Amino acid sequence: MDPTLEQLSKEFDIQFFEKHKWSAVRGTVSRTLKAAKRIARRSQVGAPGSKQPQPQPYRWRLPFELIEQIIDHLHDDSSTLRSCALLCLALVDSVQRYLFHRVLVTIKNFLEGVVLFVRNPRLTEHVRELYFEGGEGTAFEALKDMLEQKPPPKHLRVFAQVIAPRLPNVVRLTLKDVPFDQSIVDMFSTPFPRLHTLSLFDCWFRSRADFNALVKGHPLVHSLRCGRLCSLYGASDQTLGEQAGTTQLALRALKISEAYSSSPLTLMPWLLTHVEPETFIYGLYRLSQVAKVNHSINGYAALRHLHLIFYRWRIGDTKEVVECPQALALTPHYPPNLTTLTLDAKTDSLLLVVHTLAQLDPHLFVRLRTVTVLAHVEPAAVDAVDAEAWAGMDQTLSVLLSLGAVRFANVCKDPAHVDAGAEAIVKRLPVLNVRKLLSFSPERPPSEL
């Protein structure tokens, strides 16, 4: 056994096996490395009784730079990349750069991850995106363990002390189902010096100060994605007497997904009042959240880009919007600084988006330059929205002299109906059409965060 693995086995009381199946770690490790080793052995072993052939330099009919561009073009095709690695040993390094760009570590494969990165340290420099899922039980079990001050789970300690320090080039980190106490926060204080995007989902914190320390421990972090975050004290002002966590976090982008939570232990209300983002992305699940969004964005003086996602709403909330569209009115910070507004209707919430745009206050959006609507661009979806709402949207946006573009992007995989849907929208927005502000795309743009 490798000496490092033997030492780790004694320290964490873990039994490592030399032979592992690597399919759990993004399904890319085993076939590439084993094929490369077989190619190397074949190049060194000649026929029985023959002289050892001298290794020949790699020669291409195409320039090697062109081969590199071909590999770059295949960056998202894992099976073809593995085939390229089998083709020639000289391509393995280039292929590994993409095969190990994103790595998934879970409670089921963390031992394989340890063996992989301990025995192949050269691979660690390729990892840029790291996803760790530490769920071992229910959230209530994690809360109970935290209250009883039990030590962190073994797999979490191994990840924080063994795997994470070996991945210094990670720039995007996602943590799911991780219970954070002060010891775990301290373990994550230095492993990722280049981290700029942090995502936390279904995580429990001992206190708000621990959450604050985790984020501020990585000074390059400018984008934060959160969902279902809780602490032992929730939104309470009494956090073990630690008021260090009340200082604001200066972020370039903040995305709140799965925002609705009835739990009194949720951290979301506190988080929304202790950040100052330039880009704010928020998922709306019901009408009652609109007031919370307005309360947040009204205090964001640095906010320039607002992105709201309308998931499937309850029928009662939708009917209430139809009866009283003013309930969707947005009230950002004044004096106005907002320049871009993106509304994601998914495949069935175009009615909510149109009503939202119809209720914009021109005085609060006087600097608005771009409106982007992500929706199912088809005639049936357009006809489902009443003509009065479309007329209100047309009238409201047409008076914004700073507005330079109103973009519609199709969110479904079938673009065949986009032309017919675009024609139906143009008929309902005549003023914006005359100003030549409307444009349509068959595909949604890349994600902002």
Side-chain angles (χ1 to χ4, degrees), residues 67 217 277 394 406:
I67 299 296
D394 192 35
V406 179

Side-chain angles (χ1 to χ4, degrees), residues 139-385:
F140 295 102
E141 291 175 354
L143 175 61
K144 181 181 178 181
D145 292 342
M146 194 176 295
L147 286 172
E148 295 176 355
Q149 297 184 350
K150 291 183 178 180
K154 184 183 300 183
H155 65 280
L156 179 55
R157 289 187 289 117
V158 171
F159 174 79
Q161 296 179 337
V162 179
I163 297 179
R166 287 175 163 80
L167 305 175
N169 294 328
V170 169
V171 295
R172 299 175 68 93
L173 174 64
T174 301
L175 301 175
K176 187 176 186 298
D177 289 326
V178 176
F180 284 95
D181 59 13
Q182 185 150 4
S183 63
I184 295 298
V185 173
D186 292 341
M187 291 179 192
F188 282 104
S189 60
T190 57
F192 306 107
R194 300 184 180 181
L195 186 67
H196 62 63
T197 301
L198 176 62
S199 303
L200 302 170
F201 298 100
D202 298 302
C203 293
W204 285 83
F205 289 86
R206 182 181 61 96
S207 67
R208 303 182 312 201
D210 287 342
F211 171 83
N212 199 65
L214 176 66
V215 178
K216 290 192 172 181
H218 299 85
L220 297 184
V221 168
H222 57 65
S223 299
L224 183 64
R225 300 169 64 232
C226 297
R228 301 174 300 276
L229 300 185
C230 298
S231 77
L232 296 182
Y233 299 89
S236 172
D237 291 334
Q238 298 177 355
T239 310
L240 297 179
E242 298 170 279
Q243 298 303 321
T246 60
T247 56
Q248 286 197 333
L249 299 173
L251 299 172
R252 185 185 304 172
L254 172 65
K255 180 177 181 179
I256 303 293
S257 60
E258 299 291 336
Y260 177 75
S261 175
S262 58
S263 170
L265 300 180
T266 179
L267 271 175
M268 292 307 178
W270 171 84
L271 176 61
L272 290 174
T273 58
H274 287 79
V275 293
E276 189 67 30
E278 295 180 15
T279 299
F280 183 47
I281 307 174
Y282 194 92
L284 288 168
Y285 293 83
R286 55 184 61 194
L287 184 59
S288 60
Q289 290 179 267
V290 175
K292 299 178 181 179
V293 171
N294 284 328
H295 178 72
S296 299
I297 63 177
N298 188 263
Y300 294 160
L303 185 64
R304 299 292 183 274
H305 315 287
L306 178 61
H307 184 154
L308 299 179
I309 305 172
F310 293 85
Y311 293 95
R312 184 186 294 272
W313 281 23
R314 298 180 302 181
I315 296 178
D317 284 349
T318 304
K319 288 183 177 179
E320 187 173 347
V321 168
V322 174
E323 295 172 359
C324 182
Q326 294 80 6
L328 285 177
L330 299 177
T331 56
H333 182 269
Y334 190 87
N337 292 314
L338 207 63
T339 59
T340 63
L341 176 63
T342 301
L343 301 178
D344 189 347
K346 296 299 181 180
T347 58
D348 48 18
S349 298
L350 182 60
L351 180 146
L352 301 176
V353 168
V354 174
H355 276 293
T356 300
L357 292 174
Q359 298 303 317
L360 295 185
D361 185 345
H363 299 288
L364 296 178
F365 292 87
V366 68
R367 295 189 177 183
L368 191 64
R369 298 177 182 175
T370 304
V371 172
T372 302
V373 177
L374 309 178
H376 194 193
V377 184
E378 66 161 353
V382 175
D383 294 338
V385 182

